[in-house]
Amino acid sequence: MKSFFQKIWLAFLLAPAFLFAAKGGNIVDNLVGGFNDQVTDAGSGIASGINTFATVMGVIWIIIMLLMAFFNIEAIKNHAKSLIGAIIIIGIVYGLSAAIM
């Protein structure tokens, strides 16, 4: 009876090797390929979310700047450096996330 359970246990241990080898090729290559695909998909999803966030923040930023210019042009003149810096940062984030997607 003990030998029977050992054979079943051995079959469960070796089953993944037979399943991955069914595609043909090396087991490790199949695992690495699957892992790389999953990481690429996850990274693309995260980059898509960041890209959407950067786009929304950029549009909101433009609307706020237009309203500020309409009501108080002096405020834009006083904060020009920080405004340009924020626009550059939003552009960089958008560009990097678009490149990753």
Side-chain angles (χ1 to χ4, degrees), residues 6 17 23 25 28 30 43 45-48 55 62 75 83 89 92-93:
Q6 285 178 345
K23 295 180 183 178
V28 176
N30 291 337
I46 292 170
S48 175
T55 304
I62 290 171
L83 298 176
I89 289 172
I92 289 171
V93 169

Side-chain angles (χ1 to χ4, degrees), residues 12-68:
F12 279 124
L13 287 177
L14 294 178
F18 292 118
L19 291 174
F20 284 115
K23 295 180 183 178
N26 191 357
I27 297 169
V28 176
D29 289 339
N30 291 337
L31 288 173
V32 168
F35 178 77
N36 287 338
D37 291 341
Q38 293 296 322
V39 169
T40 302
D41 291 343
S44 178
I46 292 170
S48 175
I50 291 172
N51 193 337
T52 303
F53 179 75
T55 304
V56 169
M57 292 307 294
V59 169
I60 290 173
W61 191 259
I62 290 171
I63 291 171
I64 290 172
M65 292 301 105
L66 290 174
L67 288 173
M68 188 183 292

